[in-house]
Amino acid sequence: MRIDVVTIFPGYLAPLREALLGRAVGTGLLDIAVHDLRDWTHDVHQAVDDAPYGGGPGMVMRPHVWGEALDDVLAADPRPARLVVPTPAGRPFTQAAAHAYAAQERLVFACGRYEGIDQRVVDHYAASMPVDEISIGDYVLVGGEVAVLVVVEAVARLLPGVLGNPRSAAEDSFSDGLLEGPAYTRPEVWRGHAVPEVLRSGNHGAIARWRRDRALERTAERRPDLIAALPPDALDEADRAL
Ligand SMILES: Nc1cc(-c2ccc3ccn(Cc4ccc(CN5CCCCC5)cc4)c3c2)n[nH]1
């Protein structure tokens, strides 16, 4: 998969070169290119923003610099791409979206700053390619870069060969619609807190049941919306008895 990121703060994307993702880039599983939007400005001030039409707070990123940058970035590789534009007003990014993105040959991320990017940029490219405006949560960041780090990590870990343990992604939270329950490792007792007995019993049926129960309890407590969204046949009798 090829990933391009266009931003006025390329340094913000440095973590993509670290650890898990750094290895994926090094082994050729992932090809990441970060571009400085200001490379496509022509004025001495390298201006990328201007006051919003209709008034309102802050500044908006001008369309012409974005158009020149995205035209060049898109033309640099023949693979079909999906343009992803983080914004507080975007569609929520979910694990399902991460799986969909992991199937893409190429993702191009446009990182806005200020109060966002002139809407005509999204509208222009949406006429010739898939464009997603996405939110990573109901809080307001200062720009799109952190959202790109989140999305790239969530997508890259789903790519075969990127994670050391492929089972981990398959058994993710949300993979069965529930939050995962508590996890434990050695020592057996830590500061007076013992590991739940069942996990050391070797009784795999009882362990599976216990884990399911803890996941259901935690999900009901922290994310009742996920319980409500479960398909009717998702909960068996033992679940309902909980
Ligand atoms: N999930 C999530 C993604 C982002 C995100 C992503 C990309 C950018 C680019 C710029 N910002 C900052 C920002 C600040 C405030 C607003 C709202 N403002 C209200 C008044 C009228 C104009 C718009 C919009 C953008 C971004 C923020 N935050 N949270």
Side-chain angles (χ1 to χ4, degrees):
M1 173 187 287
R2 170 164 173 161
I3 292 177
D4 288 272
V5 185
V6 183
T7 167
I8 59 172
F9 292 117
Y12 240 95
L13 283 300
L16 293 180
R17 310 273 172 226
E18 291 296 314
L20 173 122
L21 292 185
R23 259 199 315 278
V25 172
T27 54
L29 281 167
L30 207 47
D31 178 19
I32 299 181
V34 179
H35 311 273
D36 186 339
L37 179 69
R38 293 195 197 275
D39 291 350
W40 283 273
T41 59
H42 308 295
D43 62 306
V44 66
H45 301 295
Q46 297 195 307
V48 292
D49 65 305
D50 202 341
Y53 276 113
M59 304 291 271
V60 174
M61 299 188 94
R62 305 174 67 185
H64 72 288
V65 181
W66 274 105
E68 290 194 27
L70 290 174
D71 286 351
D72 283 358
V73 167
L74 288 165
D77 188 301
R79 280 174 284 187
R82 175 176 293 271
L83 177 63
V84 180
V85 184
T87 164
R91 195 185 303 274
F93 178 71
T94 62
Q95 188 68 10
H99 279 285
Y101 287 3
Q104 294 284 325
E105 288 185 77
R106 190 181 181 201
L107 295 172
V108 176
F109 290 92
C111 294
R113 278 270 158 166
Y114 306 100
E115 299 286 324
I117 301 171
D118 185 300
Q119 188 62 39
R120 289 170 292 180
V121 174
V122 161
D123 297 346
H124 171 75
Y125 288 96
S128 59
M129 66 187 293
V131 178
D132 290 344
E133 293 182 87
I134 60 150
S135 163
I136 60 163
D138 292 339
Y139 38 80
V140 183
L141 302 168
V142 180
E145 288 80 7
V146 166
V148 170
L149 291 175
V150 166
V151 172
V152 170
E153 181 162 310
V155 171
R157 68 184 289 276
L158 297 176
L159 299 177
V162 172
L163 266 191
N165 175 358
R167 270 191 54 200
S168 174
E171 296 173 19
D172 268 342
S173 271
F174 313 107
S175 57
D176 60 357
L178 300 177
L179 302 180
E180 83 272 14
Y184 303 88
T185 186
R186 287 178 298 183
E188 231 175 273
V189 181
W190 174 72
R191 295 188 181 180
H193 306 286
V195 171
E197 188 67 35
V198 66
L199 296 180
R200 296 186 299 109
S201 67
N203 178 339
H204 297 293
I207 290 170
R209 181 71 256 167
W210 184 87
R211 283 178 164 160
R212 171 89 177 170
D213 290 351
R214 298 297 76 73
L216 283 163
E217 275 171 0
R218 178 175 280 187
T219 308
E221 166 65 28
R222 297 178 183 177
R223 292 291 304 276
D225 58 301
L226 293 179
I227 298 283
L230 287 173
D233 60 349
L235 299 179
D236 63 31
E237 241 165 85
D239 294 338
R240 294 182 189 288
L242 195 69

